[in-house]
């Protein structure tokens, strides 16, 4: 049964809806579909109806060449409308007009819940092109967000205003709109604006046509004669990206394309005292090219690196010294490097190629050596393992890269080997270690889990998987454990996005009990069971810290690690945090930490100030996700 919480999890997985889902629809089968010349059978211009007519009317009203408007919208949204909906971080309609609110920054990839500077983060003008378009058109902002026709008019008005600012007038020659198109990207860096404009003009040259997800057909006739006036870019007076040199090992093919500055923060890690101790593995839920395009747009997310499926090629988009908004948790963003992988979590292992695994392993080893990152599964994690920053956000946290990412193989490539399967006595620590190739699990996949459109109805299927199911009793017929954030008081499900009832390869837990072929572990404040005959799904673990409550009361569990309000200097707005209300570490239970606790800290990009608190917190493997506990509340014992 699908609960409302599970549906929220589905929605979070379909992040960046207005762009990535649209481009994903073009990417079924392995990459971006090559746009075809419109109406190839006759070469005639398409009949102007519906959305096609809206583009014509808006282009005529604001004296924008029609192919310019269509090509910009194609790059922004693949002409998808999604009336009234927005990408996770605030882009609306076919022209991707942005209107980012503090709430979106709190719950989106920035993960800025509780931050004192949240309003300031959301005030970047690049995140509010809806308002700029409203002033130019006289249309209400609400209509620009909800009415595709109005949204297209708003985009046309913006382009015309940018053109006049750059050249003094509009022009019938599409090639002379290069500066206006570059500015539409909202990039403040020359490389980002140039890359966007080049893609738009490439679309004009080759043409495009497609039918959107709501059944609307839109076409752009190829214009092989268009000649972009690239020299206009100088009129925008954009600064070059400070860092264009890639940070990659020599064994991978690596290029640099800057993400939008709005999708992260300039910093100076680790020289300024902000440690880098975590690497987060993601999947794009789109094609490689579509992900790069999205990260270049203001108002969205960005990862430090994007990995191509076919050959393991790498595009770096954010310097490692800077924060990228990728994890949905600001504390994690502060201390991590995000690596996106071309692929779709619902499609299991089919997208994750050996070339991709090996290139990522080389990159991760390079980064781990450079920054001293421990090569274990508390520090090399999936997006699905990131803690929710506040209680209300936990259920909607992302579940990529999904069950098809072969953690055992990947960690082996990093030099972390499972040497001996088995299980120790109660109180000992085990590493979850099912053999991926033979660990076939049944999962239910629904259309909302699969942005490619290949799944048309909820279907039970079997896939090679990186997890074991967790049950409330040692029996195949016992209910699956229901995580308190997703299924409060109810059983879990086999839905592919239901992360709460699974323990994933490489995670480490304390043995709570044994019953024949079943092993119990402490997990999410409960004793849960998984089938483990002769220890086939585990390996004994040593050299870690076992964390227990120090007193007689349950220990509060947190999703972020900010200093106390009293520890912030005057003039800086303290960030706040509260315990995750559904979770505790009860007395008598035990959890695993792999490294010493770290001091709480916070960052203020406007001044570059780093605030460090006096208290330290352990990162523990709490359930499917990591969590944080104050070191003063627990006892740590070496195992």
């Amino acid at each position: 049964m699908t609960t409302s919480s599970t549906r929220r999890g589905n929605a979070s997985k379909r992040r960046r809806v207005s762009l990535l889902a649209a481009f994903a629809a073009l990417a079924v089968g392995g990459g971006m579909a090559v746009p075809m010349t419109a109406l190839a059978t006759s070469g005639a211009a398409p009949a102007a109806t519906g959305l096609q007519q809206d583009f014509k009317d808006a282009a005529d009203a604001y004296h924008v060449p029609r192919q310019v408007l269509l090509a910009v919208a194609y790059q922004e949204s693949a002409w998808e409308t999604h009336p009234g909906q927005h990408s996770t971080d605030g882009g609306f309609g076919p022209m991707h007009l942005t209107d980012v609110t503090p709430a979106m920054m709190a719950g989106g990839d920035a993960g800025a819940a509780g931050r004192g500077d949240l309003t300031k983060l959301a005030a970047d003008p690049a995140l509010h092109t809806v308002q700029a378009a409203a002033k130019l058109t006289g249309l209400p902002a609400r209509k620009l967000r909800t009415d595709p026709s109005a949204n297209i008019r708003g985009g046309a008005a913006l382009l015309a205003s940018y053109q006049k600012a750059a050249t003094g007038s509009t022009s019938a020659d599409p090639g002379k709109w290069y500066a206006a198109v570059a500015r539409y990207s909202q990039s403040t860096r020359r490389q980002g604006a140039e890359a966007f404009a080049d893609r738009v003009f490439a679309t004009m040259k080759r043409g495009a046509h497609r039918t959107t997800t709501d059944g609307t057909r839109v076409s752009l006739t190829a214009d092989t004669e268009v000649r972009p006036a690239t020299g206009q870019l100088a009129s925008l007076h954009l600064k070059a990206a400070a860092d264009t040199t890639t940070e990659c090992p020599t064994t991978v093919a690596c290029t640099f394309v800057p993400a939008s500055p709005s999708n992260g923060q300039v910093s100076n890690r680790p020289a300024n005292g902000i440690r880098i101790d975590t690497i987060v593995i993601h999947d794009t839920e789109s094609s490689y090219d579509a992900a790069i395009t999205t990260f270049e747009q203001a108002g969205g997310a960005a990862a430090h690196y994007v990995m191509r499926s076919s050959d393991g090629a790498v595009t770096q988009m954010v310097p490692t010294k800077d924060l990228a908004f990728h994890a949905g948790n600001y504390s994690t963003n502060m201390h991590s490097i995000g690596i996106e992988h071309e692929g779709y979590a619902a499609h299991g292992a089919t997208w994750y190629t050996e070339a991709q695994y090996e290139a990522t392993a080389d990159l991760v080893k390079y980064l781990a050596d450079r920054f001293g990152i421990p090569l274990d599964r508390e520090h090399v994690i999936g997006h699905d393992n990131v803690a929710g920053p506040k209680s209300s956000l936990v259920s909607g946290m992302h579940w990529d890269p999904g069950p098809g990412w072969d953690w055992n193989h990947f960690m082996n490539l990093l030099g972390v080997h499972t040497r001996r399967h088995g299980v120790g006595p109660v109180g000992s620590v085990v590493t979850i270690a099912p053999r991926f190739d033979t660990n076939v699990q049944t999962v239910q996949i629904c259309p909302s889990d699969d942005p490619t459109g290949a799944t048309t109805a909820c279907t039970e299927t079997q896939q090679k998987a990186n997890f074991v199911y967790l049950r409330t009793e040692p029996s195949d017929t016992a209910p699956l454990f229901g995580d308190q954030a997703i299924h409060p008081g109810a059983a879990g499900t086999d839905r592919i996005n239901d992360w709460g009832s699974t323990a994933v390869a490489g995670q480490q837990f304390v043995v709570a009990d044994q019953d024949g072929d079943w092993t119990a572990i402490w997990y999410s404040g409960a004793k849960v069971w998984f089938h483990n005959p002769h220890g086939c799904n585990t390996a004994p673990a040593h050299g870690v810290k076992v964390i227990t409550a120090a007193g007689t009361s349950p220990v509060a569990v947190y999703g972020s690690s900010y200093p106390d309000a009293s520890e912030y200097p005057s003039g800086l707005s303290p960030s706040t945090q509260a315990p995750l209300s559904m979770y505790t570490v009860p007395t008598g239970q035990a959890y695993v930490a792999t490294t010493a606790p770290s001091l709480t800290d916070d960052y203020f990009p406007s001044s570059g100030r780093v605030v460090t608190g006096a208290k330290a917190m352990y990162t523990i493997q709490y359930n499917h996700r990591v969590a944080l506990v104050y070191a003063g509340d627990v006892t740590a014992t070496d195992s």
Side-chain angles (χ1 to χ4, degrees):
M1 180 178 178
T2 302
T3 68
S4 59
S5 293
T6 301
R7 285 192 293 271
R8 285 195 297 273
N10 287 339
S12 74
K13 182 62 195 167
R14 291 179 286 113
R15 61 203 188 275
R16 302 185 283 276
V17 170
S18 65
L19 182 70
L20 283 190
F23 274 98
L26 299 176
V28 179
M32 288 290 290
V34 178
M36 297 171 63
T37 303
L39 299 180
T41 56
S42 66
T49 58
L51 203 62
Q52 193 87 43
Q53 184 70 44
D54 291 336
F55 280 110
K56 178 182 183 300
D57 291 345
D60 291 347
Y62 290 97
H63 308 290
V64 181
R66 201 175 312 167
Q67 62 263 57
V68 171
L69 187 61
L70 280 162
V72 168
Y74 183 82
Q75 284 297 322
E76 289 286 354
S77 69
W79 300 324
E80 294 287 343
T81 58
H82 299 288
Q85 299 181 28
H86 58 80
S87 61
T88 303
D89 299 298
F92 291 85
M95 300 305 300
H96 200 258
L97 301 179
T98 54
D99 195 11
V100 174
T101 66
M104 292 176 193
M105 296 289 284
D109 294 289
R115 291 194 57 79
D117 61 351
L118 184 55
T119 300
K120 186 174 182 179
L121 285 175
D124 184 344
L127 306 183
H128 298 282
T129 56
V130 163
Q131 280 69 29
K135 290 180 181 178
L136 291 168
T137 61
L139 295 170
R142 175 193 57 79
K143 193 167 187 178
L144 290 164
R145 290 191 292 264
T146 59
D147 182 342
S149 178
N151 185 274
I152 292 168
R153 292 181 72 86
L158 280 175
L159 277 167
S161 71
Y162 298 158
Q163 175 71 5
K164 291 172 184 176
T167 68
S169 64
T170 59
S171 171
D173 180 354
K176 293 182 179 178
W177 285 72
Y178 190 88
V181 170
R183 185 173 172 187
Y184 197 94
S185 71
Q186 305 304 321
S187 178
T188 58
R189 296 169 176 165
R190 178 178 55 77
Q191 293 94 331
E194 183 178 33
F196 177 77
D198 287 346
R199 285 198 303 274
V200 168
F201 277 88
T203 299
M204 278 187 251
K205 285 186 176 183
R206 68 181 177 244
H209 74 210
R210 71 179 296 258
T211 300
T212 64
T213 53
D214 64 0
T216 302
R217 187 168 186 265
V218 184
S219 295
L220 168 62
T221 302
D223 181 358
T224 58
E225 301 302 318
V226 67
R227 296 291 181 266
T230 56
Q232 290 182 348
L233 191 64
S235 67
L236 301 182
H237 305 292
L238 299 174
K239 293 182 179 179
D243 292 272
T244 57
T245 302
T246 58
E247 301 167 274
C248 294
T250 57
T251 53
V252 301
C254 195
T255 57
F256 188 92
V257 176
S260 169
S262 298
N263 301 343
Q265 293 175 337
V266 174
S267 186
N268 191 28
R269 309 182 304 169
N272 60 0
I274 298 177
R275 69 187 183 280
I276 300 174
D277 63 6
T278 303
I279 292 170
V280 182
I281 302 295
H282 305 256
D283 81 59
T284 60
E285 294 298 292
S286 77
S287 73
Y288 178 72
D289 292 331
I292 293 168
T293 298
T294 297
F295 295 161
E296 290 179 288
Q297 291 181 320
H304 293 86
Y305 299 91
V306 184
M307 314 293 292
R308 190 159 60 197
S309 176
S310 60
D311 58 1
V314 186
T315 295
Q316 183 175 1
M317 302 199 70
V318 179
T320 58
K321 71 180 184 62
D322 295 339
L323 280 66
F325 291 161
H326 65 98
N329 183 318
Y330 190 87
S331 287
T332 303
N333 289 337
M334 275 184 67
H335 299 295
S336 68
I337 292 170
I339 306 177
E340 288 274 1
H341 294 77
E342 182 181 24
Y344 298 88
H347 289 200
T350 57
W351 276 82
Y352 304 134
T353 64
E354 185 59 23
Q356 203 176 38
Y357 278 122
E358 292 188 7
T360 303
D362 284 353
L363 176 60
V364 168
K365 285 187 288 187
Y366 161 83
L367 295 169
D369 180 66
R370 184 175 166 194
F371 297 113
I373 300 171
L375 290 177
D376 61 50
R377 288 281 282 110
E378 279 188 1
H379 297 88
V380 182
I381 64 177
H383 200 175
D384 58 323
N385 306 138
V386 174
K390 62 183 287 189
S391 299
S392 62
L393 299 176
V394 174
S395 65
M397 294 293 286
H398 294 183
W399 56 278
D400 58 304
W405 181 263
D406 187 348
W407 280 108
N408 286 338
H409 178 51
F410 183 64
M411 297 306 288
N412 280 337
L413 290 173
L414 298 181
V416 181
H417 303 288
T418 301
R419 300 191 182 281
R420 178 171 61 89
H421 279 80
V423 59
V426 171
S428 66
V429 177
V430 291
T431 300
I432 305 298
R435 292 179 173 88
F436 184 79
D437 286 341
T438 58
N439 184 48
V440 177
Q441 300 285 6
T442 299
V443 294
Q444 183 189 64
I445 303 175
C446 291
S448 57
D449 303 320
D450 182 4
T452 69
T455 302
T456 58
C458 291
T459 305
E460 295 278 344
T461 186
Q462 291 189 318
Q463 293 184 357
K464 295 177 182 178
N466 57 23
F467 67 85
V468 293
Y469 276 122
L470 304 172
R471 299 187 180 274
T472 55
E473 299 291 340
S475 168
D476 285 327
T477 60
L480 291 171
F481 175 73
D483 186 89
Q484 302 92 313
I486 309 174
H487 305 289
T493 72
D494 65 359
R495 183 76 174 267
I496 194 170
N497 70 339
D498 192 348
W499 47 265
S501 59
T502 61
V504 178
Q507 295 180 327
Q508 294 179 322
F509 298 96
V510 176
V511 176
D513 203 350
Q514 296 185 55
D515 187 342
D517 289 341
W518 291 79
T519 299
I521 54 174
W522 298 119
Y523 178 99
S524 205
K527 183 166 75 171
V528 300
W529 296 83
F530 61 96
H531 196 230
N532 192 30
H534 307 292
C536 67
N537 289 319
T538 55
H542 305 283
V544 301
K545 295 184 180 298
V546 175
I547 304 298
T548 56
T552 58
S553 299
V555 172
V557 172
Y558 294 81
S560 54
S561 56
Y562 295 127
D564 292 345
S566 61
E567 296 178 306
Y568 286 78
S570 177
L572 295 180
S573 299
S575 299
T576 60
Q577 63 187 17
L580 299 177
S581 59
M582 69 288 292
Y583 298 141
T584 63
V585 172
T587 57
Q589 295 189 12
Y591 294 82
V592 173
T594 59
T595 60
S598 299
L599 294 175
T600 58
D601 56 1
D602 203 351
Y603 177 59
F604 293 85
S606 57
S607 63
R609 184 72 181 267
V610 178
V611 178
T612 303
K615 296 179 181 177
M617 301 186 84
Y618 278 105
T619 296
I620 62 171
Q621 186 64 67
Y622 181 69
N623 49 25
H624 187 101
R625 301 183 182 277
V626 297
L628 294 128
V629 292
Y630 282 105
D633 292 343
V634 301
T635 299
T637 305
D638 291 334
S639 173

